Amino acid sequence: MPTFATIQQEADDRNLIRKIQKAVAFLAPKSVELPASLFGVGGALIDLKALGYLPVGMVTPDGFEFGRDISKTDVSALGYAGPVRSDIDTVARSVKMTALETGRKHMLELTYGTNLSAVTQSATTGEIVFDEPDLPVGQEYRLLILGNDGPAADNWILGRGYGSVKLASTDSQKWGTSDPVQQAYTFDVFTDSEIGVPVKHYIGGTGALKAKTALGFTAGT
């Protein structure tokens, strides 16, 4: 007869406890495809910038927050104190981050909802001048966020790919000596018509390969 200790030992695997030590995020226009895999030949990560993805840059230590707000409808029945059935009606997904590198051209285009492709920088003074529109243009983007955990020999790469996101809100921006200039973003997530799903999840790396038994997925060919 197994003891509780042996049951717990077989049920638990601390190698599956992950903590994101580093992360990077990229935006891309809808014309750029969401990658089918994060890994290329020989197990190396693919070159996202070469594919057309633009870096968000450094973000604040709170990182990235992935919201998943479920709304459901309950069915009640006579003689029962609790619901006898529930159905999910909507799942509102969101992504939040606070960027520190606020001066990148594509990040300014995102913040202010405008096209800056015709704006130039002075060769003598370095000055850039652009106008903020009265009503922002709500452009949709691809969004790809990668998280890294563990050393090279036991490395985990976790990723979330969003086929269609749109800026929902920006927080106020403060200029002062206490904090760096930063910009908070909240994105709404949509189901992209081309991809057919709202989010593509990626799990890989040498650590995932070592933990294949605990992960429980059927091995591919």
Side-chain angles (χ1 to χ4, degrees), residues 5-220:
T6 57
I7 292 175
Q8 183 182 31
Q9 185 176 2
E10 293 176 356
D12 298 342
D13 192 328
R14 68 183 184 88
N15 293 313
L16 298 187
I17 301 174
R18 305 268 51 90
K19 184 176 181 181
I20 302 302
Q21 305 288 342
K22 298 179 181 180
V24 289
F26 294 86
L27 288 169
K30 294 288 292 293
S31 57
V32 176
E33 293 185 3
L34 202 63
S37 171
L38 297 179
F39 296 89
V41 179
L45 287 168
I46 59 175
D47 188 347
L48 293 171
K49 292 181 71 174
L51 295 177
Y53 281 86
L54 302 171
V56 171
M58 288 181 280
V59 299
T60 53
D62 50 338
F64 303 91
E65 181 179 343
F66 308 106
R68 194 170 181 270
D69 187 13
I70 296 177
S71 176
K72 64 184 181 68
T73 300
D74 293 331
V75 177
S76 300
L78 181 63
Y80 290 85
V84 294
R85 172 175 172 160
S86 68
D87 296 286
I88 295 176
D89 299 322
T90 60
V91 182
R93 297 172 176 87
S94 64
V95 181
K96 295 181 180 180
M97 68 183 80
T98 301
L100 291 170
E101 299 182 42
T102 57
R104 296 175 184 267
K105 181 172 77 71
H106 59 277
M107 297 303 291
L108 292 171
E109 290 179 326
L110 168 70
T111 303
Y112 299 111
T114 187
N115 187 339
L116 301 179
S117 58
V119 176
T120 59
Q121 183 175 7
S122 170
T124 55
T125 66
E127 184 181 35
I128 301 165
V129 179
F130 65 92
D131 298 323
E132 179 180 343
D134 179 44
L135 189 64
V137 177
Q139 182 177 339
E140 295 186 9
Y141 296 87
R142 307 276 196 223
L143 174 62
L144 188 59
I145 302 174
L146 307 186
N148 178 79
D149 187 24
D154 193 14
N155 184 240
W156 289 74
I157 300 294
L158 305 182
R160 288 179 181 239
Y162 298 88
S164 182
V165 301
K166 185 177 180 179
L167 186 64
S169 66
T170 56
D171 204 349
S172 59
Q173 190 178 96
K174 181 181 178 181
W175 290 5
T177 58
S178 59
D179 296 302
V181 177
Q182 56 192 25
Q183 184 65 65
Y185 300 98
T186 299
F187 296 91
D188 285 334
V189 177
F190 303 101
T191 297
D192 181 70
S193 57
E194 179 184 342
I195 299 172
V197 295
V199 192
K200 187 183 291 291
H201 295 265
Y202 305 88
I203 304 173
T206 55
L209 196 59
K210 286 183 177 181
K212 58 185 179 182
T213 301
L215 287 170
F217 290 88
T218 302

